[in-house]
Amino acid sequence: MTSVPPLVSVIVPCYRVTAFIVEALEALRAQSFRDFETIVVNDGCPDTEALEQVLVPYRSEITYIKQENRGLSGARNTGLEAARGPLVALLDGDDVWNPNYLEVQVAYLREHPEVDVVYPNAVFIGETTWNGRIFRDMFPSRGDVTVHSLLSRECIVNVSVTGRRGTFLKVGLFDIELRSGEDWDIWLRMAKAGSRLAYHDHVLYQYRVRKGALSSDKLNLPRAGMAVLNKFLRRLDLDDEERRLTLRVLRDYQSQLSFVQGRIAAYRGNSREAISHLSQANEVMRSWRVGAAILMLRVAPWLLYHVIHRRYPTEYEFLH
């Protein structure tokens, strides 16, 4: 006899999260809403043996899939394809849901049948000065979630969403060519396809920031944004306003990349390279602080180097 499908399929991609996955799975055990399945996707973990040992107590509670590394997009797509529920919820293996996460998210979608995907608020945890701060205080969402608000970052969708599986299938799932920024890409495609994304302010999970994660790589972030925007520009169905906005935001990301490259060069004592990158960045940023740093790099680079290294012992601390 075929078992009755669950209402929700929870998809948990795993890659270098062995140290955190127990906390994530224990949070699933504690959910007040119980009509769900859990799909854990081992995305070519280099520590598969350790991961599988940690998963032993949970094997009767999860569907475990092992595959070669395909990135977050590929891991989530595998979970979406295997999902049996009409609703799907995305949980990264190093994040932690509150016990009422699914209860609140499912209730929202039931009460708002016109909404395809809903995202909650979160609190930062981990290796960040934002530890304990609320996600939406740092990255607000204002107004309706549209192509315009997604491009302008007036609405920033955190990835721990709950949505209708058919909405993901309709737009062709996550883009496996994007190793980062894949979530922003799919939200843009959903909005452009007419899907409805929404949010609420309930803090329902803990968003972990850690060294080695893609979201903590200051060079990766602007590069990923530029890749998403360049892809979006290739669409033939953009109107003039969408194309102008995309080009403007792309210029901002190029400036952010130059700014980070300039900071790295300054920390490493490469004053000429730092001046070049920071000057490019400041053509857009128009910041007096950046201008002052450029002046110091020209006049007394040794002094700036000394001040930076005295205050920030590591490059990671300087950039974060």
Side-chain angles (χ1 to χ4, degrees), residues 79-314:
L80 284 161
E81 289 163 353
R84 296 185 300 133
L87 301 181
V88 293
L90 305 183
L91 170 61
D92 283 354
D94 55 356
D95 290 340
V96 183
W97 282 352
N98 291 2
N100 63 336
Y101 175 92
L102 283 174
E103 181 181 350
V104 174
Q105 292 286 87
V106 170
Y108 188 97
L109 289 172
R110 281 174 170 164
E111 294 166 8
H112 299 86
E114 76 283 2
V115 170
D116 297 293
V117 173
V118 60
Y119 60 101
N121 210 342
V123 59
F124 285 102
I125 61 171
E127 301 168 282
T128 173
T129 56
W130 297 345
N131 192 26
R133 301 194 67 173
I134 302 302
F135 184 93
R136 207 154 293 150
D137 289 345
M138 308 297 295
F139 302 101
S141 283
R142 303 184 183 92
D144 293 336
V145 184
T146 63
V147 170
H148 186 282
S149 66
L150 287 168
L151 284 171
S152 64
R153 310 300 269 169
E154 292 169 22
C155 288
I156 298 179
V157 184
N158 52 51
V159 76
S160 193
V161 305
T162 305
R164 307 188 195 278
R165 180 172 178 262
T167 302
F168 288 87
L169 298 176
K170 177 183 175 183
V171 297
L173 303 180
F174 289 91
D175 185 346
I176 61 173
E177 297 300 319
L178 295 172
R179 285 286 175 146
S180 187
E182 74 293 329
D183 50 339
W184 192 27
D185 169 73
I186 201 170
W187 314 142
L188 282 168
R189 286 189 282 125
M190 285 181 178
K192 190 62 180 171
S195 300
R196 176 82 181 273
L197 292 87
Y199 55 90
H200 56 75
D201 286 327
H202 295 289
V203 176
L204 295 184
Y205 79 103
Q206 299 169 53
Y207 179 92
R208 191 183 305 275
V209 179
R210 58 189 174 90
K211 293 180 182 179
L214 288 175
S215 59
S216 70
D217 186 336
K218 293 296 186 179
L219 283 172
N220 176 69
L221 290 172
R223 284 172 175 161
M226 290 164 64
V228 170
L229 293 166
N230 280 317
K231 176 191 172 184
F232 197 63
L233 280 170
R234 292 195 292 270
R235 294 184 65 123
L236 300 178
D237 59 348
L238 298 185
D239 61 37
D240 290 342
E241 182 182 357
E242 289 169 342
R243 191 168 297 278
R244 281 195 298 270
L245 179 57
T246 304
L247 287 168
R248 191 189 81 197
V249 178
L250 178 60
R251 187 166 180 249
D252 290 341
Y253 270 94
Q254 290 168 331
S255 172
Q256 289 175 30
L257 178 60
S258 294
F259 178 65
V260 176
Q261 290 171 323
R263 295 189 73 196
I264 291 172
Y267 191 85
R268 296 177 181 178
N270 301 325
S271 56
R272 183 176 298 179
E273 183 180 340
I275 291 168
S276 176
H277 286 306
L278 292 176
S279 296
Q280 291 175 41
N282 218 26
E283 289 178 7
V284 175
M285 297 174 68
R286 303 295 183 185
S287 166
W288 68 266
R289 289 186 175 88
V290 176
I294 293 170
L295 180 61
M296 282 290 289
L297 285 163
R298 295 185 190 280
V299 176
W302 58 270
L303 179 58
L304 183 62
Y305 180 87
H306 175 75
V307 170
I308 290 173
H309 280 258
R310 184 175 182 179
R311 185 171 181 182
Y312 302 100
T314 68

Side-chain angles (χ1 to χ4, degrees), residues 15-26 51 54 92-96 125-127 208-211:
Y15 185 81
R16 297 189 185 277
V17 295
T18 302
F20 309 104
I21 190 64
V22 167
E23 198 173 355
L25 294 178
E26 285 296 321
L51 173 67
V54 165
D92 283 354
D94 55 356
D95 290 340
V96 183
I125 61 171
E127 301 168 282
R208 191 183 305 275
V209 179
R210 58 189 174 90
K211 293 180 182 179

